[in-house]
Amino acid sequence: MNSFLKNTAEELLNSGQSLKDMIVVLPNRRAGLFFTQHLGSLIESPTWMPEVKTIEEIFYGLAGERPSDELSLIFELYQVYKTLQPNPEDFDRFYFWGELILKDFNDLDQFLADAKWVYSNLADIKEFETDLSFLSEEQIALISRFWKSFKKQSEVEREKFLKFWQILDRLYVQFQVNLTTTGMSYSGRIYRAVAENLNQIQKPKKQVYFLGFNAFTLAEEKLIKHYVTEFGAKIYWDLDGYYLDDKRQEAGLFFRDYRKDSVLGATFPEAIPTRIKAKASQIKTYSIPLKINQANLVSKIAESIPGDERLEETVIILPDEQLLFPVLHSLPESIQKLNVTMGYPIRNAPIFSFLDAVLDLQRYMKIKEDGVFFYHKPITDLLSFSYLKEGDAKFVEGMLNDIKAKNLVEVSAANLAKGGDLFQLIFKEVKSTELFAYLGDLMQFLAQSLKDDAIQRSYLFQAFKQLTRIQDVFEKNAPGNVRSDFYLKLFRQLFREIKLPFEGEPLEGLQIMGVLESRNLDFKRVIICDVNEGSFPPGGGINSMIPFNLRRAFSLPVQEQNDAIYAYTFYRLLHQAEEVHLIYTTASDQGKAGEMSRFIQQMQVELGIAAPSAVLIPVDLTPGKPITIQKTPDILDSLKRYILSNPDPEKQMAFSASALNTYLDCRLRFYFRYVAGLKEKEEVVTEIDPSTFGSMLHKAIELLYKPREGEPFRLIDTHTIERLKVAIPTAVDNAIVDFYQAESIEKLTLSGQLQIARAIMIKYIKAILKYDQANGGFKVLNLERKYLAGIPVETSDGKQNIAIGGFIDRVDEKDGVIRLIDYKTGKDNKKVTTIEAFFDRDDKKRNKAAMQTMLYAKLFQAENPTIRKPLKPGIFNIKEIYDPNFNPFLILDKEEIQDYREFAETFESELSGLIGEIYDLEKPFDQTTDLKKCEYCPYKEICGR
Amino acid sequence: MEQRPFIIYKSSAGSGKTYTLTLEYLKLALQSPHAFKQILAVTFTNKATQEMKERILKDLTRLSREIIPSEFLDQELMKFLNMDEQGLQHAARETLLDILHGYGYFAVSTIDSFFQRVIRSFAKEMDLQAKFELELDQAAVLDRLVDRVVEQVSSDQNLKKWLTEYAEERIEEGKSWDIRSALKGLGSEIFKENFKGFQPIFEATIAHDGFLADFRKVIVGKKEELIDEALDIKNKAHEIRVRYGLEWTDFSGAGGTNNFAIRLDRLGNEKNPITSPTESQLLKIEGVETWYTKTSKLKNEIESAADAGLRDLLKSLPGMLTQWNTLMALSRNLNAFGVFRNLIHELRELKDEESILMISDVNDFLKGIVAGNEAPFIYEKIGNQYRNFLIDEFQDTSEFQWSSFKPLLVNSLGTMNTNLLVGDVKQSIYRWRGGRLELLLHEVQEQISDKYQNIKNLSINFRSLPNVVSFNNSLFSSLPELMQEAISSEFKVDSLNLLSDAFKGVSQDVPKKKLEVDFQGKIHVEFTQKAAKNSFDTSEEEEEDEEGDQNSVLDKLVPIVKELQDRGYEPRDIAFLVRKNQQGADIADKLMSYAQENPDSGYRFDVLSEESLFLSKSAAVKAVIALLNYLGNPADLVPLKTFWFYYALIHELEYSHELFEKNSLPIELLTKQKYLVEHLNRWLQLPLMEQVEEIIKFLDVYERKVDLAYVSGVKEAAFDFVKKNRADLQGFLDWWELNQFKRTVKIPEDHNAMRILTIHKSKGLQYKAVIVPYLDWKIVANGPMAPIIWSEYAISDSLKTVLPLTHQSSLLDSEFVGIYGDEVRLAYLDTLNMLYVAFTRAEEVLYGFADFSQTSKGVINLKQSGNILYTLFAQGFSLPTHPSKYYWDEEKLVFDWGEWPVSTLAKELVKATAIDLKWDSVDWRQKLKTREYAWDFSESGIQAREHRRLGVLIHEILEQAQSLEMAIEMLQSFVFDGRIDKETQQTISTQLIELFELPQFKYWYADDLQAMSEQGILLPGGKQKRPDRILVGENQAMVIDFKTGEKASKHELQVKEYMELVQRLTDLPTQGFLCYLEPTEIFEIK
Ligand code: SF4
């Protein structure tokens, strides 16, 4: 196929001049590669190559100087800025402003604008107005319009604007001085230096050719014109009449100007090719709902590449770099070679997240008396990465469990370092001076461990390079005691911006590239994704501190020029293409509507291309399904474990109140939990769920009321309580310490949640004690003790004695009545409608707590068949305990339940019936119909509820 | 004709608003070339923006092809622009092309994005960070915010106190003590304009520490005072009663509620200290007769006791109750509010740390910029100056937005440029987002000078058939009054005629020719009685009821769909309007499952919904998410089992106990399981996007080709997530947890399917047949959903602040009665507007379903929209055009009007030709190569680095450098690039200098020979040969190649090859050298 570079190569080859004596200048390096490649395909014997250069290299070569890196420059700029700004922000905050200012300076220089004029002191507008001789009418109009509206600003706003503006003027001047002393430079400055001293350029010994340029900066234009007039350089333009002749076409914006120019005009060819006009039928457009599905469409198109065609004649252009991997994933098997040329943000890589988490870790590091501690959040983040897991999976798992189970807010470095080399490398105290070494070592270590993952290694390398830079820049400049915090923020800012420059060496295979990478290249088949407004052309406008009208007045590029460049990039791709596929997306997301690119709209009206084909994704769906588990022999087998056979409560499996309540709530949930053995997930750190709260509370009360070792009971009277009251906070603390298996409360850093929980517990326990005190003395028999009993149940194997059991919070005796007390921290109340209602799963107000305490009574009775005293269940529920008229006992028909025995018969037969159902072969485990029950069910993902 | 430049269009449903707007736009745009650049058209949503743009371009395209003299648009344009057909056609063409090639200037935009653009250019002045991101996800920010605030408890005693007490309060209300969710509820207020309007006052009050604590102290003190006062009254009353030898039960009403005197005995209760007589009782107090029953023997004593002070005591109670209620209202949210200071402070930190600007800050900021300025400077900075502003959906504009726009408009009007507002107060349904309909109702007209104003009404309905219009005319003429009655009867609030005012002139005309068409439209409204609610029920249970009823409606939908399709309506002609997305999801479920169970029904049940087709409905999506969860936490078996269950479902395998049992798995799955175990670790190392990809692949959905749109949706979700966030798995899972119900399947608009959408989103749209299945909702929310209203309050001159109040009926008897009433009125208006929007979407057919309830005594409360509608219909709703009650069937509770046309033909549905996509996923890693450099992180690079092998670096330099200077320059660029540090640079630089000192180097780099190495040698086919140095002299040539590492014979061969080539090209005797760099050794090759 034809291509501009190939055609030009051929022309140069046939020009009769020896290649050896040519200098070929192209807009970028890649074009150079392709150009030589084409040359090679045209020659028959080895030959000297021409010198192939980019325009940049010409400038840098002439100046004998190269630009410094951006970070150093911005840092240098900041040094100047600090002297001019009374209260300068920190460097990390300044960084992006600096980037913007530097870009403006660069523009000013590239376009040879007088910076001093641009940043002219607004206070001296008068003076400015008197000397406008060198400006054109239009420029003057633009500027004065700006001033005029500016003058109408309120004082405050004007001040704000001026404050910064006045600095910029001096900043520019002083910055130049500083650069000269330090020997640094930026590209605009170099360009300006060259363009302003054209007469010093020596005539090159070789013939110079400029190939494929579109938009020059003013400095470039001057230089090239100088080469043309003085050194007889030649220019080859890559253009088409379609956009050149139509004044509206933004793609031809620059060419039209150049054609009018006295010097450049003569370099345009006589006959301008017109290829685009006839292309309508070869251009296909597609609309597709999701961005991600573009990859599937691209793949479909790529599949149709004929087997005998050279892959490098097809290009996939991705304006959004993030689409790279989805596209790579979907490419058909048949495509065996590919070449990617584009930047890919490393912040998408896991390694970046990892480093980011390391920075987080260090940011929240604390030094305490007994060592260095890290905050749990970044630790858990880090531990979930494979890098550490690979180091020591067991250790990681153990540590994660510990953090969860003990609700550790902080973990010591010493503890973490036990995991191995990498752990030692990461979890240690890092002073701000050691930070670079720390990160550098870490990166190298990681790179080594990522054996054959070349891409991740490259990511790391990019990050490492940035790190080295920062180190270099700061090592000599930083004031002695910079906080690590500052570095951490800065790293984060900088790392986020890094891109991995994918550049395949070989010029073969399917080509995948970004928009700008396609410049100068021609392809037979062009596939472009994201042909949406905002992507191609990218919107967003020019980012600059210099207001629009001033940019215009001083001929600095504005959005229009930007658009023109992108339009040319787009239409140029049509020159040689035989097949063009343009894909745009329609889904709107995050406030951004999917709007087809203006290019497509233009071509629809002007070229008459066909309307887009809509791509439909099949929307059929596999819906969820109800789950019913029939009772198989296996299941029945496992239920046998509940048959009472072991007198040791610790070893015997028994149905607890909560198991039974679960069964009543939902049979399937019961199945998952107690039959399939799927444990409910541990709650996430720092969240204190009700059960954690409950256990700590129980423990605290236990600590207060516990009978002494070996004694059968403890007498608690009002005096005892008076003494115990002051001990409440300690008891609560000890309960917390016990729960989290900490050494002491001081060692335990309480999370915010826990502190609140603690305060509430104290208050709650106070209320309990207050109640107990007001109602007179009692005997504590035991606390938090496990009880076990059997209950005869009709099963398929006949009557069986099934075990039931549970911990009773408190058993005491008062005035000859045995009280079975439960502490409740939820919504529970004490109203009982009927005993049967305890077992009625359709009763929306089924009182689970009351059922539980009744079960306690049953358990107690079973163990103490001889005790004849009344067994009175009661609930201390947090919801009501602050009520001055609080009464803990169950209420049935407005009467307190005085003795469990009165109801024992009904209760036990209902209970037996319920358990019988569990063993009933005909009753499968199925889902509840009451969706409310599913709301907090740990298995709701399985059920899809 | 006098030209008044400020045109306000008050539109109504279907009155051709978009048409008018487009026409006005074209009038302005076609006036002169490039006039379009000076017009800013502002719409409310991105979608509306899109449509407006398309509409303008479509009309222009059409006009540039042909002018149709009979078209109203064409006529108007020709008249207005004073052009003939040709002229118009030409102008249209020119403008069209100008727009397409100056697309950046085509300013049709949402208010938000326009404002954001302005803000960007003022970032430095506003002291924002240079690279701030606009954060749209307020919920997520709030989440982080609340967590951070709670963690501060340890360091902030005040905060701890607020939070602990707040938690306790909640416990006493029987709620969870975890206050975070509740804090989030109130905390979200900080993003709302309601609060922001008061923010300056708030900031001023919290400026000094402990303010809120003081404030609270005063409130608590006052409460105690009141209680004491009440007890005091009680005692006094007691004393009087005893003095006259009476019991409280002696008074009229005995122990019942009618006994007002007994209230004096109930005073002073901690929770409820003041029991005031009711209004009607208060009237009776004045007399004496009402104090006792006719038969009472103690008449005299009672009379004396009343006169002796009981009457006065009773009369003092209402005032005290008002005070008490006021204090209660103030204290209700006080604890949560105490945290506001921390929230606001922490938000500032967070924004700064993450360089974000909340979307809700935009209006704030802009107001700040615009305030007190003449507007044009703003545009000078962003580069456009607009002369004409066209604002659509003006009724939804917020106070802040308007105050930002106002100066611009005033400025533009000052030079007599046309500006335009279009809106419909009746369709204002975005109050919750800050929309302020009062602006359109009257405020703007009051603010802008009369002499500019040109108010126009659009009163013809072009959208709907006559019956629909007529029905709506009647309905919305009567509803406002009925609802106003409800406001005063149910809430004791004066309606101030707000609803009637807003709906003045609601009746619309129909274009004449429509009256002649065969089909005049059909309306069907159906009611279902549901059990009356027990007023003691908690609000939660009410919701339960609602859900229960919804299912019965669902069953009615399938027959309607069939009927409509039988009558020739295509799926895309039918729309379901709902209030909540969940209702939409239910409808979608119902229709889809019907379609699945009845594959041969002959009807189409495809639905399309931006809001209701949740991704998480799909088994494949559930499986993907479950497995991701498992990856994140392999200790948790539930996600793993979830995965296997859905895997089985997708692949139509039977599930069984074996699948769920924690230690087993069906044999069919064992190979899969093995693969999983083997790959788990590798997956963990992948970037998020690829993890998702791998899992989808593992799921084999590509092969089975099921759920593709849904899994694509998940991929897209990950794609979007990665763009904005740190791309880690856990982060994504947390995000998904919060956002899964915001992600729906995306289907192209032109897909022929029935629409399901919320009433809110339906604004501006129309469908042939509209079904509104859930017309019953609570008008004034209470319980946990009750709105928060902000009010200033001053206890004393120094203790003044602004506080959040929960809207509840006790406010009626408090100092906040004013704002209480405002809220009630506006809530009713919201409902009325919502009904209006819903009912006016239909072109031809309208179905509505509502529940209603009445007590056993037949009383219907007017607090529910369903009840109100029912009351209206049951009380004899009549159509002025057809004045008869005939259409209401009392028995069936159905209103049905309109005859189907006689002949309808079902159209053959055309299936769109689908473009195929390719779905499988391949491993690309082997195909992709990255470039290697010396000292990079490749294996060899790392080694070189570790052993500090400088040779490789020197080699890379010498390959390109033509001189020592260049070499040093290149070395410097390594430093700039970050590849080496300064120290290494130093060492290399020394080595380089040493090298160049060597006699051979001196010779090789001397000027007298021409160096050709930069150019190199090109071989046919494109291969290049680049010896590190080629020198060509008068009568000899030379090739030098540098090497690192071990000596090898192949090096020699290579140099020989170079020598041959050079000899061939130069025809000169050629010398060759091989130079090793570690250590330096030079060999001549013979
Ligand atoms: S989600 Fe619902 S149905 Fe499923 S197990 Fe849990 S409670 Fe039962």
Side-chain angles (χ1 to χ4, degrees), chain A residues 168-184:
Chain A
L168 288 177
D169 169 21
R170 282 176 285 151
L171 190 60
Y172 179 84
V173 176
Q174 191 54 44
F175 186 48
Q176 302 302 326
V177 176
N178 274 33
L179 291 185
T180 312
T181 21
T182 53
M184 297 202 291

Side-chain angles (χ1 to χ4, degrees), chain A residues 627 662 665-672 926-945:
Chain A
I627 307 176
T662 303
D665 276 349
C666 174
R667 285 178 279 256
L668 188 68
R669 181 167 172 177
F670 174 88
Y671 163 79
F672 283 143
D926 56 3
Q927 291 164 304
T928 174
T929 49
D930 179 5
L931 293 181
K932 275 232 137 49
K933 300 268 192 291
C934 306
E935 219 165 299
Y936 298 104
C937 174
Y939 310 108
K940 68 171 182 213
E941 297 299 329
I942 302 188
C943 293
R945 297 223 164 153

Side-chain angles (χ1 to χ4, degrees), chain A residues 271-300:
Chain A
I272 306 284
T274 52
R275 293 152 296 196
I276 296 179
K277 247 203 172 78
K279 293 268 157 128
S281 62
Q282 292 155 39
I283 301 170
K284 281 209 183 96
T285 54
Y286 309 82
S287 73
I288 196 162
L290 297 182
K291 287 166 278 191
I292 204 90
N293 288 131
Q294 296 184 92
N296 304 96
L297 180 55
V298 166
S299 164
K300 188 76 200 172

Side-chain angles (χ1 to χ4, degrees), chain A residues 430-442:
Chain A
V430 176
K431 301 208 176 64
S432 64
T433 47
E434 301 162 350
L435 208 75
F436 297 105
Y438 170 74
L439 288 171
D441 289 349
L442 183 58

